[in-house]
Amino acid sequence: MKIAFIGLGNMGAPMAANLVKAGHEVTGFDTAAPMPDGVTAATSAAGAVAGAGVVITMLPNGAILRAVAEQVIPSMQPGAVLCDCSTVDVDSARAVADQAVKAGLLAVDAPVSGGVGGAAAGTLTFMAGGSDKAFAIVQPLFNVMGQKAVHCGPSGNGQAAKICNNMILGVTMIATCEAFALADKLGLDRQKMFDVVSTSSGYSWTMNAYCPAPGVGPTSPADNGYKPGFAAELMLKDLRLSQQAAETADADTPMGQLAAALYETFVEAEDGRGMDFSAMLPRFEKRHRG
Ligand code: NAD
């Protein structure tokens, strides 16, 4: 299949490279990043999409997605699918999908989980929103770039699933980190804490698979000086998206709100920028109750 790929940064480049490896013809456009091997460079976003059956975008945010959609939709061939894999706000995802459908195109919002490692290994999870017809067209590409794709419902539902998942992740990471910091102060050995919690009712992905304490549990960014991994500023972005969505939908999310505020302080006023999101543990260790 002829594919256009717009936004070949940390995630987009390895995703596009996997499509090339699977035998697809990929034309790419990025305002700054170089093209990965095998991807033909276009000189504009509109130029990249001409003749493509699927256009994949992997961009920083909703405002940039809206701008790129304005550029590419008029140049896409009728019936082609605009598939956005970026993490953006639900409103932008739905607005872009509406615009695409009105222009005679199909649209899927399909944010991913799995990070740069998953993008390189082709093991991402896709959570998709859009019509059955649109999903059926892009599903084989999800199978190349990832290992699981869940069709979550109509347009915007992929982004809804992503931000709800990541709100749980942010809240749980904070809870795990503050519990480790409390356990330290109570004189509880970290390995014992892990051994108990990872097999008790406090277990979670953040404890069992991504333990924020160095030297405990499986290897994680904590064992590598808290180098990301999943950067604290990306967690902050996703928590802000969850709070923006909660406001629009009139949903009460006090824990998500608090997690967003804590990551905001960590990233913007403390030393969290450039650190993995699990570096909340050393942050809590340094702090006192009052
Ligand atoms: P990135 O900044 O490395 O890549 C974004 C790319 O978009 C850059 O190369 C940039 O030059 C390009 N770009 C910006 N404006 C453009 C435009 N107008 N036209 C064409 N290209 C443009 O970011 P990333 O880490 O690859 O993340 C991309 C998306 O994936 C984000 O929405 C992010 O939240 C999401 N995401 C990232 C991760 C991760 O671990 N990095 C994990 C899951 C989801």
Side-chain angles (χ1 to χ4, degrees), residues 88-99 109 154-160:
V88 303
D89 56 290
V90 176
D91 290 345
S92 291
R94 291 191 170 142
V96 164
D98 271 1
Q99 200 183 344
D109 54 288
S155 290
N157 281 24
Q159 296 295 348

Side-chain angles (χ1 to χ4, degrees), residues 235-284:
M235 175 46 80
L236 174 58
K237 171 193 166 179
D238 292 355
L239 285 166
R240 281 178 170 155
L241 289 176
S242 74
Q243 294 316 291
Q244 191 182 335
E247 201 174 317
T248 313
D250 193 22
D252 190 22
T253 56
M255 297 298 283
Q257 199 175 2
L258 191 52
L262 279 165
Y263 274 105
E264 186 170 296
T265 305
F266 187 46
V267 168
E268 294 185 350
E270 301 171 349
D271 54 2
R273 188 172 294 279
M275 302 287 275
D276 188 73
F277 82 121
S278 60
M280 273 283 168
L281 174 51
R283 177 197 185 269
F284 282 121

Side-chain angles (χ1 to χ4, degrees), residues 5-15 29-34 44-45 57-65 67-68 71 84-88 111-117 119 124-125 159 162 166 228-231 234-235 237-238 241:
F5 209 114
I6 299 172
L8 295 115
N10 292 327
M11 294 291 290
M15 290 164 71
F29 176 73
D30 192 293
T31 45
S44 69
T57 48
M58 197 53 175
L59 297 162
N61 59 48
I64 294 176
L65 170 67
V68 167
Q71 292 161 23
D84 177 47
C85 294
S86 331
T87 304
V88 303
V112 302
S113 173
V116 177
L124 294 170
T125 295
Q159 296 295 348
K162 169 80 184 175
N166 280 23
F230 185 51
L234 287 179
M235 175 46 80
K237 171 193 166 179
D238 292 355
L241 289 176

